Amino acid sequence: MTTIRQNIHDVRERIASTARDCARSPEEVLLLAVSKTQPVTAIEKAILAGQRAFGENYVQEGVEKIHHFARNLTLEWHFIGRLQSNKSRLVAEHFAWCHTVDNLKIAQRLNKQRPVNMSALNVLIQINISNESNKSGIPLHELRQLAENICTLPRLRLRGLMVIPAVENDYQRQLENFKEIKQIFLELKRNYFQMDTLSLGMSADMVAAIHAGSTLLRIGSAIFGTRDYRRFCKKSIDIK
Ligand SMILES: *Cc1c(COP(=O)(O)O)cnc(C)c1O
């Protein structure tokens, strides 16, 4: 059972070779292992393979895992799921990063709820580039105002942008979409020098994302294999 180790090795190789192809340094691209629905035994294997940053989508599940690994201070936990305001406190109290801030109200709650003994919460603004009404993320025309407001909140640190583009299988179109996002990022960064993170790219489009300038890849299935939501659901019921 060395698959997870092997997968992490392969993904890292892919990041390195793709970065070389576009004259970037592999160290510019953080590998976030998306461990949603995965048991702690799978996360343990990833840790043994040298993985440190993990992404979770469901607040309760993520918090349970953070508690499980609380003694390992080298780990960094990112919340990457849709954030409901009644769950914001758990995110503020447990995670190092939140990728899915898309309105001022949730930002203000996270700011108020971030414990004083923790460092400021790193946040990314999620933008909705394809303007699909069923997707979360802020519309482009509201981006500047939200960035300005977040910068007045002392317990949050605006680090950049996150985007989940509509599924696109054609490489050239993936690349075009991603490059458009990179331009938006660069424009905003002119006013916010501290912004250093562009969270872009998943298992199926990581090569295009690196070419377009992603600094953080959110990789789930290429590391852990296909997600088994059935086992996940059963496990959640058992816990109750
Ligand atoms: C599940 C998920 C991922 C990982 O997707 P894979 O295709 O398995 O790599 C990345 N980002 C977000 C927001 C996700 O929900």
Side-chain angles (χ1 to χ4, degrees), residues 34 36 57-58 80-81 100 126 162 164 201-204 218-223 225 227 229:
V34 176
K36 64 177 175 218
N57 288 62
Y58 309 103
I80 62 170
T100 48
Q126 183 181 0
M162 184 271 216
I164 311 173
M202 319 204 296
S203 295
R218 305 180 311 267
I219 307 293
S221 45
I223 291 176
R227 281 178 287 277
Y229 285 98

Side-chain angles (χ1 to χ4, degrees), residues 93-107:
E93 290 178 348
H94 292 90
F95 286 84
W97 287 70
C98 180
H99 289 220
T100 48
V101 173
D102 64 359
N103 66 78
L104 181 57
K105 194 169 145 263
I106 206 82

Side-chain angles (χ1 to χ4, degrees), residues 28-48:
E28 285 173 36
V29 187
L30 179 75
L31 173 58
L32 183 69
V34 176
S35 44
K36 64 177 175 218
T37 79
Q38 302 297 339
V40 291
T41 49
I43 297 177
E44 270 158 14
K45 287 181 186 140
I47 294 170
L48 285 174

Side-chain angles (χ1 to χ4, degrees), residues 210-225:
I210 295 169
H211 275 278
S214 169
T215 72
L216 191 160
L217 302 167
R218 305 180 311 267
I219 307 293
S221 45
I223 291 176
F224 296 108

Side-chain angles (χ1 to χ4, degrees), residues 30 32-36 38-40 43-44 47 51-58 61-80 91 94-99 114 118 121-122 224:
L30 179 75
L32 183 69
V34 176
S35 44
K36 64 177 175 218
Q38 302 297 339
V40 291
I43 297 177
E44 270 158 14
I47 294 170
Q51 183 62 31
R52 291 292 170 265
F54 291 90
E56 287 286 336
N57 288 62
Y58 309 103
E61 180 193 352
V63 168
E64 280 169 24
K65 289 172 179 171
I66 291 169
H67 282 147
H68 181 90
F69 290 104
R71 288 169 63 188
N72 187 338
L73 299 176
T74 67
L75 303 184
E76 185 174 79
W77 295 92
H78 295 232
F79 184 74
I80 62 170
V91 171
H94 292 90
F95 286 84
W97 287 70
C98 180
H99 289 220
R114 183 67 168 175
M118 292 176 87
L121 179 68
N122 297 295
F224 296 108

